[in-house]
mmCIF file of all heavy atoms in Angstrom:
data_model
loop_
_atom_site.group_PDB
_atom_site.id
_atom_site.type_symbol
_atom_site.label_atom_id
_atom_site.label_comp_id
_atom_site.label_asym_id
_atom_site.label_seq_id
_atom_site.Cartn_x
_atom_site.Cartn_y
_atom_site.Cartn_z
ATOM 1 N N ALA J 53 -0.511 -29.548 -1.530
ATOM 2 C CA ALA J 53 -0.318 -30.733 -2.367
ATOM 3 C C ALA J 53 0.884 -30.481 -3.275
ATOM 4 O O ALA J 53 1.210 -29.338 -3.585
ATOM 5 C CB ALA J 53 -1.559 -31.008 -3.204
ATOM 6 N N ASP J 54 1.555 -31.551 -3.671
ATOM 7 C CA ASP J 54 2.689 -31.416 -4.577
ATOM 8 C C ASP J 54 2.192 -31.120 -5.976
ATOM 9 O O ASP J 54 1.236 -31.726 -6.461
ATOM 10 C CB ASP J 54 3.528 -32.697 -4.593
ATOM 11 C CG ASP J 54 4.266 -32.915 -3.282
ATOM 12 O OD1 ASP J 54 4.567 -31.902 -2.612
ATOM 13 O OD2 ASP J 54 4.541 -34.069 -2.943
ATOM 14 N N ASP J 55 2.856 -30.175 -6.623
ATOM 15 C CA ASP J 55 2.519 -29.855 -8.004
ATOM 16 C C ASP J 55 3.106 -30.899 -8.941
ATOM 17 O O ASP J 55 4.239 -31.342 -8.777
ATOM 18 C CB ASP J 55 3.078 -28.477 -8.386
ATOM 19 C CG ASP J 55 2.389 -27.350 -7.651
ATOM 20 O OD1 ASP J 55 1.220 -27.529 -7.282
ATOM 21 O OD2 ASP J 55 3.031 -26.295 -7.471
ATOM 22 N N LEU J 56 2.331 -31.305 -9.921
ATOM 23 C CA LEU J 56 2.830 -32.246 -10.918
ATOM 24 C C LEU J 56 3.810 -31.580 -11.868
ATOM 25 O O LEU J 56 4.783 -32.177 -12.295
ATOM 26 C CB LEU J 56 1.663 -32.841 -11.723
ATOM 27 C CG LEU J 56 0.717 -33.756 -10.974
ATOM 28 C CD1 LEU J 56 -0.438 -34.155 -11.887
ATOM 29 C CD2 LEU J 56 1.451 -34.983 -10.492
ATOM 30 N N PHE J 57 3.538 -30.338 -12.192
ATOM 31 C CA PHE J 57 4.334 -29.634 -13.183
ATOM 32 C C PHE J 57 4.988 -28.407 -12.565
ATOM 33 O O PHE J 57 4.802 -27.295 -13.027
ATOM 34 C CB PHE J 57 3.456 -29.211 -14.363
ATOM 35 C CG PHE J 57 2.717 -30.350 -14.988
ATOM 36 C CD1 PHE J 57 1.356 -30.506 -14.788
ATOM 37 C CD2 PHE J 57 3.382 -31.279 -15.770
ATOM 38 C CE1 PHE J 57 0.675 -31.567 -15.352
ATOM 39 C CE2 PHE J 57 2.698 -32.338 -16.338
ATOM 40 C CZ PHE J 57 1.346 -32.488 -16.129
ATOM 41 N N SER J 58 5.755 -28.567 -11.526
ATOM 42 C CA SER J 58 6.382 -27.416 -10.889
ATOM 43 C C SER J 58 7.703 -27.080 -11.580
ATOM 44 O O SER J 58 8.442 -27.962 -12.022
ATOM 45 C CB SER J 58 6.628 -27.691 -9.407
ATOM 46 O OG SER J 58 7.506 -28.773 -9.260
ATOM 47 N N SER J 59 7.956 -25.801 -11.719
ATOM 48 C CA SER J 59 9.196 -25.327 -12.311
ATOM 49 C C SER J 59 9.412 -23.884 -11.893
ATOM 50 O O SER J 59 8.508 -23.232 -11.367
ATOM 51 C CB SER J 59 9.143 -25.420 -13.837
ATOM 52 O OG SER J 59 8.202 -24.500 -14.344
ATOM 53 N N LYS J 60 10.601 -23.371 -12.121
ATOM 54 C CA LYS J 60 10.899 -21.975 -11.807
ATOM 55 C C LYS J 60 10.043 -21.040 -12.656
ATOM 56 O O LYS J 60 9.591 -20.013 -12.197
ATOM 57 C CB LYS J 60 12.381 -21.666 -12.046
ATOM 58 C CG LYS J 60 13.300 -22.259 -11.041
ATOM 59 C CD LYS J 60 13.215 -21.456 -9.775
ATOM 60 C CE LYS J 60 14.280 -21.942 -8.815
ATOM 61 N NZ LYS J 60 14.174 -21.272 -7.534
ATOM 62 N N ALA J 61 9.831 -21.410 -13.918
ATOM 63 C CA ALA J 61 9.024 -20.575 -14.813
ATOM 64 C C ALA J 61 7.589 -20.488 -14.305
ATOM 65 O O ALA J 61 6.983 -19.403 -14.322
ATOM 66 C CB ALA J 61 9.054 -21.132 -16.229
ATOM 67 N N LEU J 62 7.043 -21.592 -13.849
ATOM 68 C CA LEU J 62 5.683 -21.590 -13.327
ATOM 69 C C LEU J 62 5.601 -20.771 -12.039
ATOM 70 O O LEU J 62 4.634 -20.032 -11.827
ATOM 71 C CB LEU J 62 5.199 -23.022 -13.086
ATOM 72 C CG LEU J 62 3.734 -23.184 -12.706
ATOM 73 C CD1 LEU J 62 2.824 -22.620 -13.802
ATOM 74 C CD2 LEU J 62 3.406 -24.644 -12.476
ATOM 75 N N ASP J 63 6.621 -20.870 -11.204
ATOM 76 C CA ASP J 63 6.649 -20.072 -9.976
ATOM 77 C C ASP J 63 6.700 -18.583 -10.292
ATOM 78 O O ASP J 63 6.020 -17.775 -9.657
ATOM 79 C CB ASP J 63 7.850 -20.465 -9.109
ATOM 80 C CG ASP J 63 7.716 -21.859 -8.529
ATOM 81 O OD1 ASP J 63 6.593 -22.394 -8.485
ATOM 82 O OD2 ASP J 63 8.756 -22.423 -8.119
ATOM 83 N N THR J 64 7.502 -18.209 -11.281
ATOM 84 C CA THR J 64 7.594 -16.811 -11.693
ATOM 85 C C THR J 64 6.257 -16.326 -12.228
ATOM 86 O O THR J 64 5.807 -15.218 -11.906
ATOM 87 C CB THR J 64 8.690 -16.632 -12.762
ATOM 88 O OG1 THR J 64 9.929 -17.087 -12.232
ATOM 89 C CG2 THR J 64 8.810 -15.180 -13.185
ATOM 90 N N PHE J 65 5.610 -17.155 -13.042
ATOM 91 C CA PHE J 65 4.307 -16.794 -13.587
ATOM 92 C C PHE J 65 3.287 -16.610 -12.472
ATOM 93 O O PHE J 65 2.500 -15.654 -12.485
ATOM 94 C CB PHE J 65 3.821 -17.852 -14.580
ATOM 95 C CG PHE J 65 2.446 -17.567 -15.115
ATOM 96 C CD1 PHE J 65 2.256 -16.592 -16.082
ATOM 97 C CD2 PHE J 65 1.355 -18.249 -14.626
ATOM 98 C CE1 PHE J 65 0.985 -16.313 -16.560
ATOM 99 C CE2 PHE J 65 0.082 -17.978 -15.097
ATOM 100 C CZ PHE J 65 -0.110 -17.000 -16.068
ATOM 101 N N LYS J 66 3.280 -17.505 -11.488
ATOM 102 C CA LYS J 66 2.339 -17.397 -10.373
ATOM 103 C C LYS J 66 2.585 -16.124 -9.572
ATOM 104 O O LYS J 66 1.635 -15.474 -9.127
ATOM 105 C CB LYS J 66 2.439 -18.622 -9.465
ATOM 106 C CG LYS J 66 1.774 -19.847 -10.036
ATOM 107 C CD LYS J 66 1.894 -21.017 -9.075
ATOM 108 C CE LYS J 66 1.278 -22.271 -9.643
ATOM 109 N NZ LYS J 66 1.452 -23.423 -8.729
ATOM 110 N N ASP J 67 3.864 -15.754 -9.384
ATOM 111 C CA ASP J 67 4.178 -14.517 -8.676
ATOM 112 C C ASP J 67 3.642 -13.300 -9.429
ATOM 113 O O ASP J 67 3.053 -12.395 -8.836
ATOM 114 C CB ASP J 67 5.685 -14.369 -8.465
ATOM 115 C CG ASP J 67 6.229 -15.307 -7.399
ATOM 116 O OD1 ASP J 67 5.426 -15.819 -6.588
ATOM 117 O OD2 ASP J 67 7.453 -15.512 -7.378
ATOM 118 N N MET J 68 3.845 -13.277 -10.749
ATOM 119 C CA MET J 68 3.340 -12.164 -11.550
ATOM 120 C C MET J 68 1.814 -12.126 -11.521
ATOM 121 O O MET J 68 1.207 -11.056 -11.422
ATOM 122 C CB MET J 68 3.833 -12.274 -12.995
ATOM 123 C CG MET J 68 5.313 -12.029 -13.138
ATOM 124 S SD MET J 68 5.919 -11.928 -14.831
ATOM 125 C CE MET J 68 5.164 -13.289 -15.651
ATOM 126 N N GLN J 69 1.195 -13.293 -11.589
ATOM 127 C CA GLN J 69 -0.263 -13.372 -11.551
ATOM 128 C C GLN J 69 -0.792 -12.879 -10.203
ATOM 129 O O GLN J 69 -1.778 -12.135 -10.151
ATOM 130 C CB GLN J 69 -0.702 -14.813 -11.800
ATOM 131 C CG GLN J 69 -2.197 -14.999 -11.832
ATOM 132 C CD GLN J 69 -2.604 -16.457 -12.001
ATOM 133 O OE1 GLN J 69 -1.848 -17.373 -11.643
ATOM 134 N NE2 GLN J 69 -3.775 -16.677 -12.559
ATOM 135 N N ASP J 70 -0.141 -13.273 -9.123
ATOM 136 C CA ASP J 70 -0.565 -12.839 -7.796
ATOM 137 C C ASP J 70 -0.462 -11.326 -7.640
ATOM 138 O O ASP J 70 -1.337 -10.695 -7.044
ATOM 139 C CB ASP J 70 0.255 -13.534 -6.711
ATOM 140 C CG ASP J 70 -0.106 -15.004 -6.559
ATOM 141 O OD1 ASP J 70 -1.130 -15.432 -7.126
ATOM 142 O OD2 ASP J 70 0.647 -15.721 -5.867
ATOM 143 N N LYS J 71 0.595 -10.726 -8.179
ATOM 144 C CA LYS J 71 0.744 -9.273 -8.095
ATOM 145 C C LYS J 71 -0.369 -8.571 -8.871
ATOM 146 O O LYS J 71 -0.906 -7.563 -8.417
ATOM 147 C CB LYS J 71 2.114 -8.847 -8.616
ATOM 148 C CG LYS J 71 3.223 -9.170 -7.652
ATOM 149 C CD LYS J 71 4.565 -8.732 -8.176
ATOM 150 C CE LYS J 71 5.653 -9.168 -7.208
ATOM 151 N NZ LYS J 71 6.974 -8.852 -7.713
ATOM 152 N N GLN J 72 -0.714 -9.101 -10.025
ATOM 153 C CA GLN J 72 -1.786 -8.495 -10.820
ATOM 154 C C GLN J 72 -3.136 -8.661 -10.131
ATOM 155 O O GLN J 72 -3.948 -7.734 -10.106
ATOM 156 C CB GLN J 72 -1.834 -9.108 -12.220
ATOM 157 C CG GLN J 72 -2.811 -8.437 -13.142
ATOM 158 C CD GLN J 72 -2.487 -6.968 -13.364
ATOM 159 O OE1 GLN J 72 -1.346 -6.599 -13.574
ATOM 160 N NE2 GLN J 72 -3.495 -6.131 -13.314
ATOM 161 N N ILE J 73 -3.378 -9.819 -9.561
ATOM 162 C CA ILE J 73 -4.626 -10.047 -8.822
ATOM 163 C C ILE J 73 -4.712 -9.102 -7.629
ATOM 164 O O ILE J 73 -5.753 -8.500 -7.375
ATOM 165 C CB ILE J 73 -4.730 -11.523 -8.367
ATOM 166 C CG1 ILE J 73 -4.983 -12.432 -9.563
ATOM 167 C CG2 ILE J 73 -5.818 -11.692 -7.317
ATOM 168 C CD1 ILE J 73 -4.868 -13.914 -9.239
ATOM 169 N N ALA J 74 -3.608 -8.951 -6.910
ATOM 170 C CA ALA J 74 -3.588 -8.064 -5.751
ATOM 171 C C ALA J 74 -3.868 -6.624 -6.154
ATOM 172 O O ALA J 74 -4.624 -5.918 -5.476
ATOM 173 C CB ALA J 74 -2.236 -8.164 -5.042
ATOM 174 N N GLN J 75 -3.291 -6.169 -7.265
ATOM 175 C CA GLN J 75 -3.534 -4.798 -7.737
ATOM 176 C C GLN J 75 -5.000 -4.617 -8.147
ATOM 177 O O GLN J 75 -5.618 -3.607 -7.843
ATOM 178 C CB GLN J 75 -2.614 -4.458 -8.912
ATOM 179 C CG GLN J 75 -2.701 -3.018 -9.348
ATOM 180 C CD GLN J 75 -2.257 -2.067 -8.266
ATOM 181 O OE1 GLN J 75 -1.205 -2.234 -7.678
ATOM 182 N NE2 GLN J 75 -3.065 -1.060 -7.989
ATOM 183 N N THR J 76 -5.558 -5.617 -8.805
ATOM 184 C CA THR J 76 -6.964 -5.550 -9.212
ATOM 185 C C THR J 76 -7.871 -5.509 -7.991
ATOM 186 O O THR J 76 -8.839 -4.736 -7.952
ATOM 187 C CB THR J 76 -7.317 -6.752 -10.107
ATOM 188 O OG1 THR J 76 -6.451 -6.745 -11.248
ATOM 189 C CG2 THR J 76 -8.761 -6.695 -10.580
ATOM 190 N N TRP J 77 -7.581 -6.332 -7.000
ATOM 191 C CA TRP J 77 -8.379 -6.309 -5.767
ATOM 192 C C TRP J 77 -8.302 -4.956 -5.092
ATOM 193 O O TRP J 77 -9.302 -4.441 -4.600
ATOM 194 C CB TRP J 77 -7.916 -7.382 -4.801
ATOM 195 C CG TRP J 77 -8.385 -8.760 -5.125
ATOM 196 C CD1 TRP J 77 -9.281 -9.125 -6.092
ATOM 197 C CD2 TRP J 77 -7.991 -9.961 -4.478
ATOM 198 N NE1 TRP J 77 -9.445 -10.485 -6.081
ATOM 199 C CE2 TRP J 77 -8.666 -11.029 -5.094
ATOM 200 C CE3 TRP J 77 -7.119 -10.253 -3.444
ATOM 201 C CZ2 TRP J 77 -8.511 -12.349 -4.715
ATOM 202 C CZ3 TRP J 77 -6.961 -11.563 -3.063
ATOM 203 C CH2 TRP J 77 -7.647 -12.603 -3.692
ATOM 204 N N ALA J 78 -7.101 -4.375 -5.025
ATOM 205 C CA ALA J 78 -6.934 -3.072 -4.371
ATOM 206 C C ALA J 78 -7.712 -1.986 -5.103
ATOM 207 O O ALA J 78 -8.244 -1.071 -4.484
ATOM 208 C CB ALA J 78 -5.464 -2.707 -4.296
#
Side-chain angles (χ1 to χ4, degrees):
D54 291 332
D55 292 333
L56 292 175
F57 305 106
S58 62
S59 68
K60 288 284 187 185
L62 187 59
D63 291 341
T64 302
F65 177 76
K66 284 181 182 177
D67 287 342
M68 291 188 314
Q69 182 183 25
D70 288 348
K71 286 181 184 176
Q72 186 61 44
I73 289 170
Q75 186 63 50
T76 302
W77 282 352

